[in-house]
Amino acid sequence: LSGIYKHNHYKLGHHEAPPYNQNTLRSVYHVREFEKFKLEQLTGNVDVFLSHDWPTGIAYHGNTGQLLQRKPFLRNEIENGSLGSIPGKELLEKLKPSYWFSGHMHVKFAAIV
């Protein structure tokens, strides 16, 4: 699942095309509902899933205290539930992959769901 979740672009199709302006340069890499829909069609076991964003709520499935020691600026987003990707969480719950890897936060964080 490539890209960052932004609710205001989620329901839109990809309309961006070169040459990009300041708005389309940012929105082109946001996750769209259609991308999630395609991934929901997977059947069978999913061994590995890769995403840019963490699934929403994942911070509560690992050592949150240690995470906040390394990334204290994430506290508000963790507490208000806005950290991560809602579509990512929905895919995690539906596909139940054996392993999920995300890179957006640039920190090692193990979580067991």
Side-chain angles (χ1 to χ4, degrees), residues 10-31:
Y10 182 64
K11 297 271 186 188
L12 302 176
H14 278 292
H15 58 278
E16 305 88 354
Y20 298 118
N21 62 35
Q22 287 301 318
N23 291 330
T24 58
L25 187 61
R26 290 195 177 276
S27 69
V28 72
Y29 61 83
H30 292 162
V31 171

Side-chain angles (χ1 to χ4, degrees), residues 58-59 61-63 109-113:
I58 203 68
H61 294 277
N63 189 334
F109 180 74
I112 299 175
V113 180

